[in-house]
Amino acid sequence: MNYNKIRRFCRKFRIVIGVALIGVGFYTGIAWFYLGIIPLIAGLVDFCPLCMITKKCDLPEEKK
């Protein structure tokens, strides 16, 4: 399995979801959608809090 491909997709996905949620919040005026800042920041800095908690998204360690 190519983990780098998955991580690149997840990063782009988080950025798109974050921007979409913020856009919906701006359009509708519902403040809860502004929580889209969380996946946006997570995508921009390439950090996933959910992966840190579940330990399921970690890349395998390279063999020496």
Side-chain angles (χ1 to χ4, degrees):
M1 180 178 273
N2 190 347
Y3 289 99
N4 288 330
K5 259 186 172 178
I6 293 170
R7 286 191 55 92
R8 275 187 263 136
F9 172 76
C10 286
R11 184 176 187 187
K12 291 175 186 175
F13 183 71
R14 282 183 254 149
I15 292 171
V16 169
I17 290 297
V19 170
L21 286 173
I22 293 169
V24 169
F26 184 74
Y27 181 73
T28 63
I30 300 172
W32 282 102
F33 285 105
Y34 291 119
L35 289 176
I37 194 78
I38 295 169
L40 179 63
I41 291 173
L44 291 174
V45 298
D46 199 20
F47 170 75
C48 181
L50 187 60
C51 290
M52 192 173 108
I53 293 168
T54 62
K55 303 287 186 196
K56 291 185 179 182
C57 302
D58 292 339
L59 293 174
E61 293 182 21
E62 292 183 23
K63 295 180 181 178
K64 293 181 180 180

